[in-house]
Amino acid sequence: MQFNTFIYVLAFLPLTIIGYFTINKFNYRAAKIFLAAASMAFYAYAGMSGFCWLLISMAANYIVVLLLKNRKKKIILWMGIIFNIVLLFYFIYSNFAITSFNDLFQKNVTALSLVLPVGISFFTFQQISYLVDTFRNETAGNSALDYILYVTFFPKILMGPITKQSELITQFHDESKRRLSQDNLIKGIQMFTIGFFKKVVIADTFARAVSWAWSIGDFSKLTSMDTFLVMIAYAFQIYFDFSGYSDMAIGTAALLNIKLPINFDSPYKACSIRDFWKRWHISLTRFLTEYIYFPLGGSKKGKLRTYFNTLIVFLISGIWHGANWTFILWGILNGLLSIFDRVTEKLRKNVHPALQWIATFLAVSFLWLLFRSNSIAEWKDAVCSILSFQNTAVSEGLINCFILPETRLLTSVFRLETVTAAVKGFWMLMFYSSALVWCLGFENAYRMKHRKNVFTALTYAALFIFTLTCIGGESVFVYFNF
Amino acid sequence: MKNKTWLLIFAAVAVVTGIAICSLTAYVDPYMHFHKPLTDRFFYSVNNQRSQNDGIIKNFDYDTIITGSSMTENFRTSEADRIFECNSIKVPFAGATFKELNDNLLKGLSTHPNIKYIFCALDRYRFVSDKDSMRLELGEYPTYLYDSNPFNDIKYLMNRDVLYSRVCYMVRNAVVGAPAGITSFDESYNWMAGYTFGPESVGKKTFECASEETNLTEQEKQLIKGNVEQNITSLAEKYPNTQFYFFLPPYSAVYWGDLKQNGTMEEQLQTEEYALSLIVGHENIHMFGWARFDLTDDLNNYKDPTHYGEWVNSWVLAQMREESGRLTEDNYKSYIEKMRDHYTSFDFNSLFEQCDYEADYYASGLLNREIFGTQPLVIDNEFAKKAELKNANTVLGQFDGADGIECCAGMPADGSSGDPSLPDGNYSGMKFKIDASNFRALTFYGKKTAGAGNPTINIYGKDGKLISSTAYADPNGEWHQYAVNLSGIYGEVTVVMMNGGKSADADPQESACVFSKIILY
């Protein structure tokens, strides 16, 4: 089940909140069972085959947990970790390995027909962290139900934030969190609404521009300006999409009195790549730092080892993000830029922050373009198209991606026809500038003070309902030739 | 502010706004999902088949359904109503499978038990497909409109396109007093204006015969059986009082040429023969297939290998009314044999040697003798004596030696083609009255003879309102063939054939044109 659906917003979420707190009044254990059951139903809604794999993964991991509780042997821990990695590789990398093998040896091995369990990367990493914490004797007081709820807790199971057991299970044990909190309700509503709007209205609009470019399928057919704008559109899309989802997850959890960790801290305000990674997908960075970078020695074993460790962490991050050479290169380039960042740290002190910001934002955007590309060659074409700067025209197709039913209505109601006719790509300009202002000009939603006054109550209600009306559109059948 | 107050304001505003939006959408109901259109208050644009046909089928009053793929989009319900004395709706589904058509017909029949006629095209290439196949690759079906679950209707009630692109405009237009109503079934989905017809439009190609022909397999026969029984004959069996008029759309010879080139013509004929054997035995199924090669071999009737002009739709209706081309247990095999005989020896490459009519509707006119049995009416100088001529005179020996009307002056801008007061005003041309009901096309040759000469035809209804206005730009001052479509126009009308070329003054040196060989088909 996705957060940005009617069934979630209007049925699942309110019913789960009501059910959880009502049952909590009578029996805390029953309330936890209810929440775990609701979480599993939330996950199973996406497909039963994925749900079965989740159950298999949880059962296998919990056996390892029980073994580790009896005997703290590294071999058991490694068996558990390897099981998780094998499962992850099987689903995500099998077909990538087969196609790479076919390409390399000119063979024709048939690809596997796999249905990827949604969120497998997230619940696998969380279970690895649980195994490590068990090995470190940090999960002693947890029950099987705690474990199930920790893995399946629906606000974060699909896309994080990747949460440590210590920060989630302790909250379930906290008696003060078992009663409905009006304060948290307000926080949750505000956070959820912001994320909902970011995802549905902003991210999905930029997604139209990105889809337009990839539907053409050849960057040589786009102008340099088109490609540049599409690159920026993707930078905005991925940020508003992912951070919007995280905001909705954090907001949902807040409604249940659970505080999830921050996942995005205004990453496009960063003035260096390392700064960016401290702000982007924070829970993943934290996981990789704690469970890979530190065990490798972190930055305590000399400069070269630090650089090597950094590169390894980003390589793993790249591999984790997807099965394609583009992700691997994306990870390596991020690692190299982070190393460059460290090397030039002192030199950059005298460089104006604005210049550093522009350089960081562009570097990140070029790397997002690689992240989105279907192949490294495609990315190269796109980059060449931008850097050649041969044609600065903006295509009508791209401009039209930002003409939405709402913008057409606004144009009509406020009689903006003369403005939209005079300014080419008026609505496109509005979206790009609004997104930039949103990224740079405001406090992050997680840190933002949740104000309680009539204005905010009306604004959030209007924003919530408006976003709700933007979830779905008309079914249009593409049938040009009848 | 207290937490409770904030939460109350938020909840109250959100709930009230949400309910208001849903109620407004349900009241205006642009998909006609909940109720009949409020045509006295709003204007309903009928332009989304998958979203609106379901509402039309459920909520309209009718006794006849016209449905099918794009082969049925050009049908005029006014024509069907006239020919069959019925009250029809048109609910086509472009690219539809038989399953989709059957599901919608089933809904129509279950909500309207007294349906007299069903007219439905059965695309020949759809017989060999799974009985449950749908066109999922074309888009997402709005199934929330089709089912009986009231909860998922929220996807319609809170829908950005419905709300911001339809409901808001419909309400605004109603508020400012714009005309209310609904797109007529004659106009809805009619794609004629978007295409040209003739050999060039179909696309010239060279045919080569395949060395081997494939045959229908047992597996394919099972598919056909399942498809026909579930989606064609079961409905007729369930509703014996309804007459089902199914027809095999008359695809052009190019379609058959393509099959022959691919080596699948024999397989297609065997498919049709087997499918027909399952259909024709049903008493209330009127199955039609036409071996009318004069029509299908004339590419002036087609825009591509399969899609024919709207005059063929009219012809289909007329044929069905006459029960002409009906396939029965006695003749369906000979129909297949005729098709086989003709296309086995046919020289497909000769198709592109035929004349490509400059005016597409000329083909419509030629077919009208068969559709309405109307004899062509020649508008010559004799006829002109009974008509009104202003700033014009009759001339002899014009195109092909035929008579002509010379329009001697271009009218000032306020007297030009679009002026609705024209029937009683000033113009340069000829005006006459006719009963247009049984005519399909006004064809003529025209050319400018001076300056901005621009052969123009205005047609006015009995009440003096402009029904149609067509101005033909003459690119080079030579004779050109033109044809005005008259289908869908009924009763007495006033036709004004004039020089529509605007000019600052009425000097004939500035603007003049000639009409010749004027024929009403």
Side-chain angles (χ1 to χ4, degrees):
Chain A
M1 195 183 295
Q2 295 292 324
F3 290 156
N4 53 321
T5 55
F6 288 112
I7 189 162
Y8 179 79
V9 176
L10 299 179
F12 180 86
L13 182 59
L15 289 177
T16 304
I17 293 167
I18 293 167
Y20 177 65
F21 287 114
T22 308
I23 299 170
N24 242 323
K25 280 186 179 175
F26 306 103
N27 188 311
Y28 161 61
R29 196 177 152 73
K32 275 211 303 191
I33 292 171
F34 170 80
L35 197 56
S39 296
M40 288 198 216
F42 173 88
Y43 188 86
Y45 190 81
M48 284 311 287
S49 116
F51 178 59
C52 289
W53 279 109
L54 171 70
L55 293 182
I56 291 166
S57 169
M58 275 170 42
N61 273 289
Y62 199 68
I63 290 168
V64 178
V65 168
L66 292 178
L67 289 173
L68 279 173
K69 279 190 174 174
N70 284 335
R71 305 175 77 180
K72 298 271 177 304
K73 288 210 162 184
K74 259 195 175 173
I75 182 79
I76 300 172
L77 173 67
W78 275 109
M79 276 169 59
I81 292 172
I82 288 166
F83 165 77
N84 281 301
I85 291 171
V86 167
L87 196 68
L88 195 62
F89 266 76
Y90 172 69
F91 277 107
I92 299 182
Y93 307 103
S94 299
N95 283 331
F96 172 60
I98 290 169
T99 43
S100 299
F101 175 80
N102 285 344
D103 290 346
L104 205 62
F105 298 103
Q106 302 294 309
K107 299 282 179 189
N108 197 17
V109 180
T110 317
L112 302 174
S113 171
L114 296 170
V115 180
L116 184 73
V118 287
I120 188 170
S121 312
F122 288 92
F123 69 68
T124 301
F125 266 30
Q126 297 216 141
Q127 293 189 106
I128 290 174
S129 82
Y130 195 92
L131 294 182
V132 174
D133 286 359
T134 306
F135 182 76
R136 289 174 182 168
N137 214 10
E138 292 170 10
T139 64
N142 298 347
S143 65
L145 183 58
D146 288 330
Y147 176 75
I148 292 168
L149 196 51
Y150 163 65
V151 179
T152 62
F153 186 51
F154 73 89
K156 54 88 191 156
I157 189 169
L158 297 183
M159 283 173 71
I162 299 169
T163 315
K164 291 169 72 173
Q165 57 82 25
S166 55
E167 56 196 7
L168 198 59
I169 294 176
T170 46
Q171 293 189 74
F172 288 126
H173 290 173
D174 186 347
E175 284 188 33
S176 69
K177 289 179 179 285
R178 295 175 195 173
R179 278 190 305 278
L180 195 72
S181 154
Q182 290 179 359
D183 215 37
N184 281 336
L185 271 185
I186 293 170
K187 272 185 203 165
I189 287 168
Q190 294 193 358
M191 196 74 184
F192 185 89
T193 305
I194 290 170
F196 195 30
F197 181 81
K198 279 161 83 173
K199 160 71 186 143
V200 174
V201 179
I202 305 180
D204 288 355
T205 304
F206 282 110
R208 286 160 57 100
V210 175
S211 299
W212 169 82
W214 262 274
S215 70
I216 291 170
D218 182 359
F219 281 98
S220 64
K221 289 179 184 163
L222 269 63
T223 68
S224 298
M225 185 56 86
D226 283 341
T227 314
F228 176 77
L229 288 170
V230 166
M231 177 180 80
I232 303 298
Y234 187 62
F236 284 138
Q237 182 202 338
I238 195 167
Y239 169 66
F240 283 103
D241 192 292
F242 199 2
S243 76
Y245 196 92
S246 291
D247 291 347
M248 284 190 275
I250 291 163
T252 296
L255 296 170
L256 293 161
N257 286 344
I258 301 295
K259 187 175 181 183
L260 290 181
I262 186 169
N263 217 16
F264 290 86
D265 188 7
S266 306
Y268 289 151
K269 286 178 187 166
C271 290
S272 71
I273 286 288
R274 282 167 67 216
D275 185 21
F276 174 80
W277 279 107
K278 281 176 191 162
R279 295 161 174 269
W280 181 276
H281 204 176
I282 296 166
S283 64
L284 174 69
T285 308
R286 188 181 64 167
F287 177 91
L288 294 173
T289 307
E290 196 165 321
Y291 295 100
I292 296 171
Y293 185 69
F294 288 163
L296 285 172
S299 56
K300 291 180 180 169
K301 293 192 176 178
K303 276 185 181 174
L304 277 178
R305 186 60 189 267
T306 305
Y307 300 154
F308 176 75
N309 290 346
T310 305
L311 208 54
I312 290 291
V313 165
F314 275 106
L315 180 63
I316 289 170
S317 173
I319 293 169
W320 181 83
H321 274 93
N324 195 328
W325 292 109
T326 51
F327 293 112
I328 292 170
L329 181 61
W330 174 81
I332 291 170
L333 289 177
N334 266 299
L336 290 174
L337 284 176
S338 291
I339 294 166
F340 175 78
D341 202 11
R342 271 184 190 274
V343 173
T344 59
E345 201 169 10
K346 285 179 186 165
L347 290 171
R348 283 188 290 107
K349 273 184 180 166
N350 295 327
V351 179
H352 194 280
L355 202 62
Q356 293 198 46
W357 175 82
I358 290 171
T360 306
F361 184 67
L362 285 177
V364 166
S365 299
F366 272 105
L367 289 176
W368 283 138
L369 196 60
L370 170 62
F371 191 86
R372 175 63 181 81
S373 296
N374 296 313
S375 66
I376 293 170
E378 189 179 70
W379 178 61
K380 196 190 85 187
D381 289 345
V383 172
C384 288
S385 166
I386 294 171
L387 297 182
S388 66
F389 225 65
Q390 289 293 318
N391 190 341
T392 54
V394 185
S395 299
E396 283 299 318
L398 181 61
I399 289 172
N400 290 341
C401 293
F402 296 89
I403 310 288
L404 307 172
E406 306 90 74
T407 58
R408 271 194 293 266
L409 187 68
L410 285 173
T411 305
S412 171
V413 169
F414 293 104
R415 301 188 182 283
L416 299 174
E417 290 86 355
T418 45
V419 182
T420 53
V423 182
K424 190 179 178 186
F426 173 78
W427 287 109
M428 182 179 80
L429 215 59
M430 291 296 286
F431 267 96
Y432 274 89
S433 49
S434 305
L436 198 63
V437 169
W438 187 305
C439 290
L440 303 181
F442 291 99
E443 179 63 285
N444 187 271
Y446 194 87
R447 301 191 192 288
M448 202 172 69
K449 199 177 172 198
H450 299 285
R451 296 179 194 284
K452 288 170 270 185
N453 52 46
V454 176
F455 176 75
T456 57
L458 293 176
T459 307
Y460 278 104
L463 211 58
F464 176 74
I465 291 295
F466 171 69
T467 310
L468 207 57
T469 63
C470 292
I471 286 181
E474 196 165 66
S475 283
V476 179
F477 269 58
V478 185
Y479 194 49
F480 296 115
N481 198 26
F482 301 115
Chain B
M1 179 185 268
K2 282 183 180 174
N3 287 342
K4 209 173 191 172
T5 318
W6 193 96
L7 286 167
L8 275 174
I9 296 173
F10 174 85
V13 174
V15 169
V16 169
T17 317
I19 290 174
I21 289 170
C22 292
S23 307
L24 180 68
T25 306
Y27 174 67
V28 177
D29 199 11
Y31 288 170
M32 299 156 281
H33 176 64
F34 296 109
H35 55 76
K36 279 181 200 154
L38 308 173
T39 47
D40 54 336
R41 281 167 218 170
F42 306 109
F43 187 87
Y44 290 79
S45 296
V46 179
N47 53 13
N48 187 322
Q49 296 170 345
R50 261 76 188 189
S51 295
Q52 292 177 313
N53 282 355
D54 186 73
I56 293 170
I57 283 173
K58 277 188 302 187
N59 294 318
F60 277 46
D61 294 324
Y62 59 88
D63 61 17
T64 297
I65 301 175
I66 299 174
T67 191
S69 64
S70 51
M71 297 296 150
T72 60
E73 288 180 313
N74 292 339
F75 275 120
R76 290 175 184 272
T77 53
S78 62
E79 211 162 68
D81 294 353
R82 208 168 147 245
I83 295 174
F84 281 86
E85 293 175 352
C86 59
N87 173 25
S88 60
I89 56 165
K90 182 173 81 178
V91 280
F93 296 87
T97 60
F98 292 166
K99 158 82 174 159
E100 186 177 9
L101 297 176
N102 178 69
D103 287 354
N104 286 282
L105 285 175
L106 191 60
K107 188 167 279 183
L109 285 158
S110 58
T111 52
H112 296 71
N114 297 321
I115 287 180
K116 288 201 294 198
Y117 306 116
I118 305 278
F119 298 116
C120 180
L122 299 178
D123 284 287
R124 323 177 98 100
Y125 54 85
R126 289 248 173 262
F127 284 112
V128 187
S129 51
D130 187 84
K131 60 183 172 26
D132 293 319
S133 73
M134 296 285 273
R135 301 299 302 278
L136 299 172
E137 78 282 12
L138 298 182
E140 197 180 340
Y141 287 89
T143 48
Y144 50 89
L145 296 170
Y146 307 160
D147 62 22
S148 53
N149 177 1
F151 296 109
N152 62 15
D153 283 357
I154 190 76
K155 290 181 182 174
Y156 168 49
L157 297 172
M158 283 201 161
N159 181 307
R160 83 192 307 175
D161 290 307
V162 172
L163 187 62
Y164 303 119
S165 294
R166 289 181 186 269
V167 173
C168 287
Y169 288 98
M170 288 166 80
V171 171
R172 190 194 63 174
N173 290 343
V175 169
V176 299
I182 186 167
T183 312
S184 79
F185 287 124
D186 282 6
E187 292 164 25
S188 62
Y189 310 116
N190 185 306
W191 41 259
M192 288 299 294
Y195 299 95
T196 55
F197 292 74
E200 202 167 308
S201 303
V202 171
K204 189 170 180 176
K205 59 173 92 172
T206 308
F207 292 98
E208 283 171 20
C209 284
S211 53
E212 270 183 50
E213 283 276 345
T214 55
N215 289 295
L216 191 64
T217 63
E218 265 314 306
Q219 202 180 357
E220 286 170 332
K221 275 179 108 171
Q222 288 307 310
L223 281 175
I224 296 168
K225 192 169 190 293
N227 198 5
V228 168
E229 286 180 352
Q230 177 183 288
N231 300 318
I232 299 171
T233 55
S234 69
L235 214 55
E237 287 162 10
K238 194 173 176 189
Y239 294 94
N241 295 328
T242 301
Q243 300 302 307
F244 290 80
Y245 286 74
F246 291 118
F247 67 94
L248 299 169
Y251 294 165
S252 80
V254 174
Y255 168 79
W256 293 99
D258 287 338
L259 292 183
K260 197 161 179 212
Q261 183 162 268
N262 299 335
T264 53
M265 189 179 88
E266 185 53 35
E267 187 184 338
Q268 178 62 35
L269 289 167
Q270 289 170 11
T271 296
E272 289 180 23
E273 184 170 348
Y274 180 62
L276 289 171
S277 73
L278 301 169
I279 298 170
V280 292
H282 294 76
E283 266 186 26
N284 59 333
I285 292 184
H286 304 238
M287 184 71 226
F288 292 86
W290 298 278
R292 280 290 301 270
F293 306 114
D294 58 327
L295 195 143
T296 52
D297 296 349
D298 182 353
L299 299 187
N300 285 293
N301 291 314
Y302 296 88
K303 81 166 186 72
D304 61 34
T306 56
H307 291 91
Y308 37 77
E310 63 178 0
W311 50 92
V312 178
N313 292 78
S314 303
W315 178 84
V316 164
L317 281 176
Q319 291 288 301
M320 291 198 291
R321 176 78 273 189
E322 297 297 320
E323 295 283 321
S324 171
R326 181 166 178 183
L327 302 173
T328 61
E329 281 179 303
D330 297 332
N331 70 2
Y332 78 93
K333 284 188 179 170
S334 64
Y335 161 73
I336 295 293
E337 209 47 50
K338 267 189 209 168
M339 299 289 281
R340 184 178 282 120
D341 285 350
H342 180 74
Y343 288 123
T344 302
S345 57
F346 189 72
D347 176 12
F348 290 101
N349 289 315
S350 69
L351 285 168
F352 296 99
E353 290 163 13
Q354 59 190 275
C355 159
D356 196 333
Y357 303 146
E358 190 177 0
D360 289 337
Y361 276 94
Y362 183 60
S364 170
L366 294 182
L367 201 57
N368 195 39
R369 257 181 277 200
E370 198 175 343
I371 299 171
F372 290 143
T374 313
Q375 287 304 313
L377 176 65
V378 180
I379 315 281
D380 53 13
N381 289 356
E382 269 307 299
F383 182 94
K385 285 177 187 169
K386 292 175 274 178
E388 178 187 281
L389 268 71
K390 275 189 185 175
N391 303 305
N393 48 272
T394 55
V395 282
L396 295 169
Q398 295 300 302
F399 181 78
D400 231 2
D403 296 346
I405 309 291
E406 190 176 31
C407 307
C408 310
M411 287 294 99
D414 61 350
S416 64
S417 57
D419 184 355
S421 68
L422 236 182
D424 304 317
N426 198 15
Y427 59 90
S428 166
M430 176 172 66
K431 183 171 84 177
F432 56 91
K433 283 188 166 75
I434 52 153
D435 182 349
S437 307
N438 291 322
F439 291 108
R440 295 197 60 85
L442 171 63
T443 69
F444 61 91
Y445 287 80
K447 69 170 179 178
K448 68 178 173 188
T449 51
N454 197 4
T456 300
I457 314 293
N458 277 12
I459 299 171
Y460 301 88
K462 226 174 173 179
D463 52 3
K465 280 188 183 163
L466 184 68
I467 298 173
S468 130
S469 177
T470 322
Y472 296 101
D474 180 352
N476 49 15
E478 290 173 10
W479 288 110
H480 291 281
Q481 185 190 39
Y482 302 107
V484 179
N485 180 25
L486 299 178
S487 53
I489 300 176
Y490 305 108
E492 189 182 271
V493 294
T494 301
V495 180
V496 182
M497 303 183 74
M498 60 183 178
N499 179 17
K502 293 177 186 177
S503 177
D505 55 47
D507 183 351
Q509 296 302 312
E510 293 291 331
S511 177
C513 71
V514 184
F515 292 88
S516 181
K517 207 174 181 181
I518 309 162
I519 304 174
L520 266 164
Y521 284 99

